[in-house]
Amino acid sequence: VSTQSTGASHCSSFSVLPKMPLSDKAHRHLLETTTVGSLLVDDRDIFFISPTTTIAEASKIFREKNVLALPIWDDKTNTWEGFIDLFSLMTYVAFGRPEILKQGPKFWTTFNFSDQPVGPLTLVSRTAQKMFVFSSTQNLFTIFETLALSSPRVLIQATHPSGDPLERAKISIFTQTDAVRFLSQNLDKLGSVGDQFIGELGLVDDTPITLDEDESALEGFRTIRLMCINAVAVVNKNEEIIATLSASDVKGLTQETLPSVQHSVIEFLKARHPEGKLVHPVTCEERTLLKDVILQLVTAKVHRVFVVDASRRPRGVVSMTDICRVVTKF
């Protein structure tokens, strides 16, 4: 495995998993005996940009290709420089600017995406600290460890780079979603770890970060950035979870629709839904089995499941990062 550092800071926060014996290590054997290359999808399109791609151009690619992150390839050095994720780009050009709150809606009518290159943005991107590049022969255990601790996605190459990043047989992207989907397809091979309650696995920290339903979506996005998290639970006056705001909710925002982040988070989320509905978050309880949470993530096509108590008050969240961490630490 090789890593290419971009010098950026990386946000990571997780609880310490308890040391508890399991009756078997079937899950570890599964990961150690499966290569990442055996799971790659040959027809998956790989989109990338260069360090000189402008913010406006990158924003258009994000919107048209419907992706959350883009790898950056430098033709001059024949190296992958890092990933730029959509949320970090939106934070840089909009969410972190005090002009938004000072000038209000009038600011948005005159706001234009910058024509500066995206290269320097890797210094502020949450996922650009290191570019992890693995051989397709690497076993899944090492891949899962990296996805759990360092990056939500990695690059997989069949051979050494030849200077042409578009050769499909040479470069693929493997994500946390791919990892959890693999586990869901092999639940019978996980052994005893899949039959553990998430509470027993140390996945309920009882300190969830929430956002009141009357707060603006902008405040929610700023909280996500400042707290180095990927989502917040939206709660009503009874502190019951009624929705969730995540970094991926910036997908599809344009210069014309950016003002909507100033609305309440509920209005913002409803406006994002094709039918104007509020999508209820996927939840579980402390005594939900790990394998059931894995199925929830895959079936609902979400990146996290919120843990709630009997009154539907959030107590924690189980993310794909947590799933990757659990199966490599036990």
Side-chain angles (χ1 to χ4, degrees), residues 162-229:
S162 63
D164 183 3
L166 277 182
E167 292 185 30
R168 303 280 171 77
K170 294 184 177 181
I171 287 292
S172 298
I173 297 178
F174 191 80
T175 68
Q176 290 178 340
T177 299
D178 297 319
V180 175
R181 183 184 300 113
F182 169 76
L183 294 178
S184 72
Q185 295 168 345
N186 292 274
L187 293 178
D188 59 328
K189 300 177 182 178
L190 293 184
S192 57
V193 69
D195 293 319
Q196 299 293 318
F197 295 127
I198 59 170
E200 296 176 338
L201 293 172
L203 296 179
V204 184
D205 57 20
D206 217 13
T207 57
I209 297 175
T210 61
L211 182 72
D212 291 341
E213 61 180 329
D214 296 329
E215 293 281 0
S216 69
L218 176 61
E219 187 61 31
F221 286 133
R222 294 179 67 187
T223 299
I224 289 173
R225 178 66 183 184
L226 293 173
M227 299 303 294
C228 292
I229 56 179

Side-chain angles (χ1 to χ4, degrees), residues 4 21 42 52 66 129 142 146 160 170 183 197 216 221 223 229 301:
Q4 299 172 17
D42 293 334
T52 58
N66 195 33
Q129 181 188 23
T142 300
T146 304
H160 292 292
K170 294 184 177 181
L183 294 178
F197 295 127
S216 69
F221 286 133
T223 299
I229 56 179
K301 297 181 180 180

Side-chain angles (χ1 to χ4, degrees), residues 94-134:
F95 299 156
R97 294 174 177 259
E99 302 98 305
I100 294 175
L101 298 180
K102 290 181 179 179
Q103 299 185 31
K106 183 179 179 180
F107 171 79
W108 297 100
T109 62
T110 59
F111 180 80
N112 289 307
F113 282 114
S114 173
D115 60 358
Q116 61 183 297
V118 299
L121 264 66
T122 59
L123 298 177
V124 299
S125 175
R126 304 187 308 168
T127 60
Q129 181 188 23
K130 291 182 179 179
M131 171 68 77
F132 289 87
V133 184
F134 291 91

Side-chain angles (χ1 to χ4, degrees), residues 77-322:
T77 61
N78 276 355
T79 57
W80 294 101
E81 295 297 320
F83 279 101
I84 179 70
D85 64 279
L86 177 59
F87 185 75
S88 292
L89 184 147
M90 295 300 293
T91 298
Y92 179 79
V93 301
F95 299 156
R97 294 174 177 259
E99 302 98 305
I100 294 175
L101 298 180
K102 290 181 179 179
Q103 299 185 31
K106 183 179 179 180
F107 171 79
W108 297 100
T109 62
T110 59
F111 180 80
N112 289 307
F113 282 114
S114 173
D115 60 358
Q116 61 183 297
V118 299
L121 264 66
T122 59
L123 298 177
V124 299
S125 175
R126 304 187 308 168
T127 60
Q129 181 188 23
K130 291 182 179 179
M131 171 68 77
F132 289 87
V133 184
F134 291 91
S135 165
S136 59
T137 59
Q138 182 65 60
N139 69 55
L140 283 184
F141 188 84
T142 300
I143 301 294
F144 271 60
E145 282 189 316
T146 304
L147 294 175
L149 298 175
S150 305
S151 174
R153 55 189 66 82
V154 297
L155 285 182
I156 309 297
Q157 62 184 37
T159 60
H160 292 292
S162 63
D164 183 3
L166 277 182
E167 292 185 30
R168 303 280 171 77
K170 294 184 177 181
I171 287 292
S172 298
I173 297 178
F174 191 80
T175 68
Q176 290 178 340
T177 299
D178 297 319
V180 175
R181 183 184 300 113
F182 169 76
L183 294 178
S184 72
Q185 295 168 345
N186 292 274
L187 293 178
D188 59 328
K189 300 177 182 178
L190 293 184
S192 57
V193 69
D195 293 319
Q196 299 293 318
F197 295 127
I198 59 170
E200 296 176 338
L201 293 172
L203 296 179
V204 184
D205 57 20
D206 217 13
T207 57
I209 297 175
T210 61
L211 182 72
D212 291 341
E213 61 180 329
D214 296 329
E215 293 281 0
S216 69
L218 176 61
E219 187 61 31
F221 286 133
R222 294 179 67 187
T223 299
I224 289 173
R225 178 66 183 184
L226 293 173
M227 299 303 294
C228 292
I229 56 179
N230 288 308
V232 292
V234 180
V235 297
N236 60 20
K237 292 178 173 56
N238 296 324
E239 299 184 353
E240 301 166 330
I241 186 170
I242 57 173
T244 176
L245 180 75
S246 69
S248 63
D249 285 319
V250 300
K251 287 176 66 174
L253 282 178
T254 65
Q255 182 176 342
E256 291 73 26
T257 59
L258 273 173
S260 64
V261 302
Q262 296 179 112
H263 300 159
S264 75
V265 63
I266 298 300
E267 291 180 42
F268 173 80
L269 291 173
K270 286 183 177 179
R272 306 284 290 160
H273 192 279
E275 299 178 5
K277 297 179 179 180
L278 188 64
V279 179
H280 200 280
V282 181
T283 62
C284 68
E285 298 178 352
E286 189 172 352
R287 291 182 63 79
T288 301
L289 298 180
L290 177 65
K291 63 182 181 182
D292 292 332
V293 173
I294 291 174
L295 282 177
Q296 284 181 291
L297 287 166
V298 175
T299 302
K301 297 181 180 180
V302 294
H303 291 89
R304 63 199 58 81
V305 175
F306 283 89
V307 185
V308 298
D309 60 19
S311 299
R312 297 201 59 77
R313 295 186 178 92
R315 292 199 56 201
V317 59
V318 180
S319 66
M320 290 187 169
T321 300
D322 295 321

Side-chain angles (χ1 to χ4, degrees), residues 41-63:
V41 180
D42 293 334
D43 60 353
R44 178 182 293 180
D45 291 327
I46 304 299
F47 307 105
F48 70 99
I49 57 179
S50 72
T52 58
T53 300
T54 67
I55 290 177
E57 292 169 337
S59 299
K60 182 179 179 181
I61 295 173
F62 274 121
R63 184 171 62 254

